[in-house]
Amino acid sequence: MLGLPEGNLLIDTAPDLRTQLLRERIGVIHAVLYTHEHADHLFGLDDLRIFAHYLGEDLPVYCDARVEARIRRAFDYAFDPVVRKIPAGGVPRLVFRRIETQPFEVLGAEATPVRLRHGRFQVLGFRLGRLAYCTDTNGIPPQSMKLLQGLDVLVLDALRRRPHATHFSLDEAVAVARQLAARRTLFTHICHDLDHRATNAALPPGMELAYDGLRIPLCS
Ligand SMILES: [Zn+2]
Ligand SMILES: [Zn+2]
């Protein structure tokens, strides 16, 4: 989640979203942004239903056409016109904001989508200022590498040591991080194979494994 000038922007809705928000004491989300439609990034969506209630209006959801189509199918009850008319309907109330690859405004900040390859899937990473969030990828096209220059913080997919069909291995992620040379690189989407302390100790300077609850300043 990014604390932006006009509110809290949540990236993806993981299945354990509710426990994550409670654990981090995040009381409100003002907008949601999706990288892609895979279940591990989407299926906490129902936990968003309280936020439209808090905001007094539908919760803005920024995503591409494929993510929107999956949400409309998987959470069809949220778009049932009869249910939406019931005041105490208890369904997520969302308003879609279509994004593609052009930069867009969200909560007082500019976000630039960064096209990433994720095996046979296409997903989006995002750059906001000098931070970029690039999860679920095993290939960054040259055009996207250009968008990721001059970063203070790069968050990058690094699943495990063994190669994987849709995620960077740790060695692949380190090689990409070296090319991009952000001041600080945080690896994410880590599986159980990587021992946290031993892996961190062996990483090059400026690179580390991220962890649940990690907080970083957005401008420094
Ligand atoms: Zn994925
Ligand atoms: Zn994933």
Side-chain angles (χ1 to χ4, degrees), residues 36 38 40-41 118 136 167:
H36 66 309
H38 285 165
D40 57 324
H41 295 254
H118 179 30
D136 290 59
H167 294 271

Side-chain angles (χ1 to χ4, degrees), residues 4-66:
L4 297 181
E6 294 172 10
N8 292 336
L9 176 66
L10 179 69
I11 304 183
D12 294 339
T13 50
D16 51 352
L17 179 63
R18 179 174 168 278
T19 49
Q20 292 178 349
L21 294 174
L22 289 170
R23 186 190 68 211
E24 301 304 320
R25 299 177 182 274
I26 294 166
V28 64
I29 294 295
H30 298 88
V32 182
L33 174 59
Y34 281 102
T35 60
H36 66 309
E37 72 278 19
H38 285 165
D40 57 324
H41 295 254
L42 181 59
F43 275 86
L45 181 143
D46 191 75
D47 292 336
L48 297 174
R49 62 189 182 278
I50 192 65
F51 298 125
H53 178 73
Y54 287 161
L55 299 178
E57 57 189 12
D58 291 356
L59 180 68
V61 171
Y62 293 78
C63 64
D64 66 17
R66 188 171 11 202

Side-chain angles (χ1 to χ4, degrees), residues 54-204:
Y54 287 161
L55 299 178
E57 57 189 12
D58 291 356
L59 180 68
V61 171
Y62 293 78
C63 64
D64 66 17
R66 188 171 11 202
V67 175
E68 179 177 338
R70 174 64 54 82
I71 290 173
R72 286 185 181 278
R73 281 204 305 277
F75 299 91
D76 61 342
Y77 60 90
F79 305 97
D80 181 328
V82 175
V83 172
R84 283 176 64 92
K85 281 199 194 102
I86 303 169
V91 300
R93 290 170 184 266
L94 312 175
V95 55
F96 286 104
R97 305 256 192 264
R98 175 67 54 83
I99 59 168
E100 287 165 358
T101 51
Q102 294 303 309
F104 60 97
E105 287 283 315
V106 56
L107 298 176
E110 185 181 90
T112 302
V114 180
R115 179 61 72 197
L116 305 172
R117 192 162 50 77
H118 179 30
R120 64 189 175 87
F121 307 99
Q122 296 276 323
V123 310
L124 292 176
F126 299 100
R127 177 175 185 151
L128 288 96
R130 295 171 72 86
L131 174 139
Y133 183 76
C134 298
T135 190
D136 290 59
T137 179
N138 65 335
I140 305 182
Q143 282 300 102
S144 297
M145 291 292 279
K146 284 187 194 152
L147 298 173
L148 298 171
Q149 303 297 315
L151 292 169
D152 285 343
V153 178
L154 169 66
V155 185
L156 185 64
D157 186 342
L159 187 75
R160 63 186 189 191
R161 293 193 183 281
R162 283 177 295 133
H164 188 273
T166 61
H167 294 271
F168 279 138
S169 68
L170 189 62
D171 285 349
E172 291 169 337
V174 166
V176 170
R178 278 209 170 97
Q179 282 184 60
L180 293 174
R183 286 173 61 188
R184 187 179 183 194
T185 300
L186 297 162
F187 296 119
T188 191
H189 216 294
I190 302 156
C191 89
H192 308 87
D193 296 0
L194 295 181
D195 178 87
H196 192 89
R197 204 170 298 178
T199 305
N200 260 345
L203 284 174

